[in-house]
Amino acid sequence: MNLARQIEQYLTQPLLELVKDISRQASNQGQRVYLVGGVVRDLFLGYPNFDLDLVVEGDAVKLAQQVAETSQAKLLTHRRFGTAKLRYENFTVDLATARKETYARPGALPAVTPGTLKDDLIRRDFSINTMAISLASNDYGELVDPYQGKGDLEHRLIRILHPKSFSDDATRILRGVRYEQRFGFEFEAQTAQLLKRNISMLDTISGDRIRHELELIFKEKQPEFAIKRLAELGVLPRINPFLKGDGWIAEKFDKARRLKKPAQLPSLYFCLLSYSFSDRGIEQFLAHLNIPAKLSRAMRDTLRLKTKLPLLDKPSLKPSEIYYLLWEYEPVAIQANAIASESPTVYRHLQLFLTKLRYVRTSLDGEELKRLGISAGPEMGKVLQILHKAKLDEEVRTRADEKKLALSLSPKL
Ligand code: ATP
Ligand code: MG
């Protein structure tokens, strides 16, 4: 099957020119190069995907260097892995030397040696990701599909390539669910059986790799589908007994996306995912998944603030009172609580803080207060704090109001 015409239609003009340039250069060097993986899958599905992955039978670094020389791409190379990245203004292209992998034991990182395209394809996760398109000049556009990926795409199936796939690398369990839910596909019968039988293999995977897969899930359009499915399959409780993927999560994730100005969505999803955790549970989860410091702080803040919500559930709170209850929490944690809380009053107060109160500043600064005769040090700190509070509560509005208030305070201090 030749896909030269489909490539022309599918790729944008600059990508197409690049692909043709790579094809020419590879032929000049006597190397064979293929478009592989997600982009081939998405070409058939008609979904956009402009991250090009190329496999080179030969030396990917050498080819990338040649291509970089005649374009304005930025080149990054990893000699040791035989990989290179070309970075253009609006897209990147990954080139990898075809490799062969062997797993010494489940969950270990594989040993790698140079190989053929076919060796490179068999180490992959699912048949729908194993299709390649030749870019060599003598068979440009020819589909290479040794594992019947096209057939599985047509039957909407996720299929592993060999029975040991999930035990070699249990992150594939999470990847499979992500594709299943993204495309609305099903696991092929034997794959489904092996997946269920290998859930315990998740214990062989480092926390970093599990976190990375969760991050990928959180980049999906509707990650709650994958989360719910992972719960059903018993994957979530295997990762952490407190993790849930119920209707509550689905509703809250959806609400998070509807916010006018959501914080970083993946962080917000992490905070919501751990909303029912105990103090002990969260610490165990953060350590196991090696969650980065800033996100850890947001997740801890989320649970700390959750215990304070009753204080924010009083309709009569003044803006300054809301401010002092919330100023030390990460904004993502506040947003997570706004989404999680069932009280409209709490929601209103948290949103008021996020959209307005946290940005309130006094018009007068220290220099100006000095000119009004207020000395630096604790006295000035006190004045600034009173001004800020008055501004939050809209008791002062203009600079003149602030000056008047500052002068009236200073003799008393
Ligand atoms: P998408 O980015 O849309 O999820 P992709 O196919 O580009 O799809 P990547 O995560 O970019 O996915 O990975 C590139 C390729 O590497 C995949 O097509 C897949 O075949 C392979 N791959 C990635 N992770 C694994 C893994 N854990 N085991 C086997 N193959 C993998
Ligand atoms: Mg990709």
Side-chain angles (χ1 to χ4, degrees):
M1 178 176 200
N2 194 284
L3 298 161
R5 258 204 19 248
Q6 282 88 332
I7 299 176
E8 301 262 332
Q9 289 165 0
Y10 180 67
L11 294 181
T12 59
Q13 201 54 34
L15 274 179
L16 186 63
E17 273 163 35
L18 176 66
V19 160
K20 291 196 163 155
D21 184 39
I22 291 175
S23 163
R24 235 182 342 262
Q25 308 262 15
S27 295
N28 288 345
Q29 294 185 354
Q31 305 210 71
R32 294 192 64 87
V33 60
Y34 303 85
L35 211 47
V36 292
V39 67
V40 182
R41 177 198 69 214
D42 289 343
L43 176 145
F44 281 117
L45 291 172
Y47 293 143
N49 183 339
F50 302 116
D51 292 325
L52 296 193
D53 282 307
L54 299 170
V55 165
V56 182
E57 280 179 327
D59 184 347
V61 174
K62 190 172 150 206
L63 177 59
Q65 280 165 338
Q66 189 66 43
V67 174
E69 249 175 49
T70 53
S71 73
Q72 65 287 63
K74 261 179 86 178
L75 174 68
L76 281 148
T77 62
H78 285 285
R79 262 261 155 244
R80 211 158 63 83
F81 299 111
T83 62
K85 192 186 269 296
L86 291 167
R87 185 165 284 148
Y88 295 82
E89 213 172 296
N90 298 314
F91 51 85
T92 57
V93 178
D94 287 294
L95 295 98
T97 304
R99 58 204 247 189
K100 196 173 174 162
E101 284 181 353
T102 40
Y103 289 84
R105 60 185 157 78
L109 290 177
V112 176
T113 48
T116 62
L117 174 70
K118 222 169 155 200
D119 293 326
D120 199 279
L121 295 179
I122 186 104
R123 70 184 178 87
R124 291 174 185 252
D125 45 8
F126 307 107
S127 65
I128 59 167
N129 287 339
T130 59
M131 288 178 282
I133 300 175
S134 170
L135 300 181
S137 51
N138 64 336
D139 62 356
Y140 180 88
E142 218 34 55
L143 178 68
V144 183
D145 183 16
Y147 306 106
Q148 284 75 50
K150 188 158 177 293
D152 284 337
L153 261 192
E154 280 158 7
H155 295 108
R156 311 172 68 81
L157 291 175
I158 311 284
R159 182 197 304 270
I160 45 174
L161 307 186
H162 56 85
K164 279 179 57 196
S165 185
F166 288 127
S167 67
D168 278 348
D169 178 356
T171 62
R172 292 170 185 162
I173 293 173
L174 294 144
R175 295 180 63 83
V177 168
R178 179 159 60 87
Y179 291 121
E180 179 205 43
Q181 296 301 312
R182 183 200 293 175
F183 298 131
F185 283 14
E186 273 176 38
F187 284 106
E188 168 276 330
Q190 202 200 351
T191 301
Q193 221 176 43
L194 286 164
L195 186 151
K196 286 176 195 151
R197 215 179 289 155
N198 280 290
I199 298 284
S200 63
M201 286 300 183
L202 286 161
D203 300 355
T204 65
I205 297 299
S206 74
D208 275 302
R209 298 187 70 206
I210 291 176
R211 187 194 67 246
H212 179 65
E213 292 302 328
L214 286 178
E215 287 165 351
L216 290 177
I217 288 172
F218 288 161
K219 285 186 190 152
E220 295 290 315
K221 276 215 186 81
Q222 292 176 295
E224 58 272 28
F225 294 161
I227 294 297
K228 178 161 174 273
R229 184 77 164 117
L230 289 171
E232 275 168 19
L233 288 166
V235 175
L236 286 191
R238 191 82 205 184
I239 295 173
N240 187 297
F242 293 102
L243 279 177
K244 291 203 185 72
D246 50 15
W248 188 89
I249 288 284
E251 183 202 325
K252 300 305 175 185
F253 275 26
D254 184 61
K255 205 165 160 188
R257 281 193 302 276
R258 288 164 196 273
L259 287 179
K260 263 201 222 88
K261 279 194 194 157
Q264 289 283 315
L265 266 179
S267 304
L268 200 47
Y269 291 142
F270 268 112
C271 292
L272 289 168
L273 190 67
S274 55
Y275 202 71
S276 56
F277 277 31
S278 66
D279 287 350
R280 268 251 306 286
I282 192 76
E283 287 312 319
Q284 197 193 357
F285 186 69
L286 296 176
H288 173 208
L289 265 62
N290 195 17
I291 303 270
K294 189 169 162 62
L295 179 56
S296 291
R297 205 172 332 122
M299 289 169 73
R300 286 191 189 104
D301 273 5
T302 301
L303 296 186
R304 263 197 322 136
L305 179 55
K306 181 183 170 188
T307 66
K308 295 272 160 60
L309 292 185
L311 298 174
L312 283 144
D313 203 4
K314 298 179 194 135
S316 62
L317 284 180
K318 289 206 278 184
S320 60
E321 292 173 306
I322 298 170
Y323 182 88
Y324 296 129
L325 282 167
L326 293 176
W327 70 275
E328 36 176 5
Y329 295 97
E330 288 284 329
V332 184
I334 298 174
Q335 212 156 50
N337 276 283
I339 294 164
S341 161
E342 303 301 331
S343 152
T345 305
V346 169
Y347 182 83
R348 195 158 34 82
H349 288 160
L350 298 185
Q351 286 299 68
L352 180 68
F353 176 86
L354 287 171
T355 57
K356 197 169 150 203
L357 302 183
R358 68 173 160 143
Y359 301 115
V360 169
R361 302 277 180 277
T362 57
S363 309
L364 300 185
D365 61 14
E367 281 308 307
E368 285 161 297
L369 290 182
K370 263 195 229 162
R371 265 179 260 135
L372 295 177
I374 296 162
S375 50
E379 180 190 359
M380 185 176 293
K382 193 89 210 210
V383 172
L384 280 170
Q385 202 197 342
I386 293 171
L387 289 182
H388 184 231
K389 178 169 181 292
K391 185 110 184 217
L392 283 166
D393 292 334
E394 298 183 349
E395 291 160 6
V396 299
R397 286 169 195 276
T398 63
R399 289 177 72 83
D401 291 346
E402 283 188 31
K403 256 187 196 171
K404 215 161 94 190
L405 178 58
L407 287 170
S408 76
L409 288 172
S410 92
K412 283 186 226 153
L413 288 166

